[in-house]
Amino acid sequence: MTHVLLVRLAAPLQSWGAVSRFSRRDTHSRPTKSAVIGLCAAALGRERTDAVDDLAELAFGVRADHPGTPVRDYHSVGAGRYPLRPRDIITDHRRAAAVSASMEAATGGGFGHHELAGWYGAPKKIAADPVSGALVSGELSRTALITERWYLSDAAFLAGLQHEDRGRLEEIAHALEHPKQLLWLGRKSCPPSGTLAAGILPGTLAQAFSAKRLLPGPEEPVPGHRPWAWIQTAPGAPGASPVNDQPVSFDPARRVHTTRWESRTRITIAPTAADWEDIIP
């Protein structure tokens, strides 16, 4: 028999990047498997270079109880003025020359009080200086970079991890409520709200999604609302589509994902005793 760990993913903001680049950070319309597996790995205290094969083999599904509203964030990086540090002058003679008129720049408490207009942030285009041979920055002045960042506002999802070993799912559920590392929903600016572990149910992902009541959201669900669910399935199954979202390694030097298959289906929520009390006075 298989069991399913349900994970509640709700917060004011979420962001599930799929093809993000520096200037444009997108978000998927729903949580990705790689993000949820990374969330569990962080809760268990694993480092990015640790293996995640045992977590990646879990079958994954997600139910969109409240899809949320896409929100675009206007974000600027860089430019402006930045105080010089001692190493900025010691390692780059051009910066030293720019402030050499002031004796306080070389001795005493002058460090940290001198600025170069238009210089900001970490050095770029590092190369050996032809005069001194020291490594210096080839770009002293940096203009502001405008980035586009997308979030989902007021969304609530129910993710599911399916496996035969209930003990393994119980370990993950305990870690989600007692994490060894900080957790966030796709981005560090998106901490989760409330509990994450929403119980372990026997059966398949579709059965677990049908048995669990809809998560509360900013608005009450429409009576008879049937949410969409995306459930991992075998390759070639009817209606299945490929998704490049199967995590292999989170190592920053070797981050790898492969293809998994999933199907999209409507889920009918089985009424509970509490539901009948609301319907029948």
Side-chain angles (χ1 to χ4, degrees):
M1 175 182 289
T2 60
H3 301 270
V4 177
L5 166 63
L6 297 175
V7 183
R8 173 184 172 274
L9 304 173
L13 290 176
Q14 305 181 34
S15 185
W16 309 102
V19 291
S20 294
R21 297 294 183 268
F22 179 79
S23 59
R24 189 180 190 278
R25 308 291 180 88
D26 73 329
T27 180
H28 206 335
S29 60
R30 59 189 184 275
T32 60
K33 180 178 182 179
S34 59
V36 175
I37 294 301
L39 183 79
C40 296
L44 292 166
R46 301 190 187 183
E47 301 296 332
R48 287 183 173 272
T49 53
D50 294 341
V52 292
D53 298 354
D54 59 324
L55 298 176
E57 72 178 8
L58 301 175
F60 172 78
V62 61
R63 191 184 76 188
D65 292 7
H66 301 276
T69 303
V71 175
R72 175 180 178 269
D73 176 39
Y74 176 87
H75 194 96
S76 62
V77 181
R81 300 169 68 89
Y82 196 89
L84 287 171
R85 300 163 295 179
R87 67 177 182 179
D88 297 328
I89 300 175
I90 295 172
T91 60
D92 196 325
H93 64 87
R94 294 165 300 175
R95 290 183 181 141
V99 295
S100 61
S102 172
M103 294 299 294
E104 293 180 358
T107 59
F111 286 127
H113 298 282
H114 296 272
E115 296 181 347
L116 291 180
W119 181 80
Y120 179 89
K124 294 291 183 179
K125 302 178 182 178
I126 305 298
D129 181 67
V131 177
S132 64
L135 293 178
V136 296
S137 171
E139 184 178 326
L140 288 177
S141 177
R142 293 176 62 188
T143 56
L145 299 177
I146 307 302
T147 66
E148 186 179 19
R149 308 192 181 197
W150 286 89
Y151 299 86
L152 294 177
S153 173
D154 294 328
F157 300 96
L158 191 67
L161 298 172
Q162 176 183 309
H163 199 264
E164 294 82 4
D165 187 353
R166 183 184 176 93
R168 180 184 300 185
L169 299 179
E170 290 175 346
E171 179 187 6
I172 298 173
H174 181 270
L176 289 173
E177 295 306 314
H178 305 82
K180 296 182 179 179
Q181 298 184 29
L182 294 177
L183 306 180
W184 49 82
L185 304 187
R187 195 170 292 163
K188 290 183 179 180
S189 58
C190 304
S193 62
T195 59
L196 279 83
I200 299 176
L201 301 179
T204 63
L205 286 164
Q207 292 170 341
F209 287 151
S210 298
K212 189 70 173 179
R213 296 184 66 182
L214 289 175
L215 298 176
E219 298 179 356
E220 290 297 322
V222 177
H225 171 61
R226 298 172 58 199
W228 285 106
W230 291 261
I231 298 176
Q232 185 171 335
T233 186
S241 58
V243 181
N244 187 29
D245 183 34
Q246 178 69 19
V248 176
S249 171
F250 290 104
D251 189 340
R254 182 182 169 273
R255 187 165 185 173
V256 181
H257 296 80
T258 59
T259 301
R260 64 181 178 88
W261 292 76
E262 68 177 14
S263 59
R264 181 172 180 252
T265 183
R266 285 282 194 181
I267 294 294
T268 301
I269 308 299
T272 64
D275 294 326
W276 288 117
E277 291 174 0
D278 295 337
I279 298 173
I280 304 175

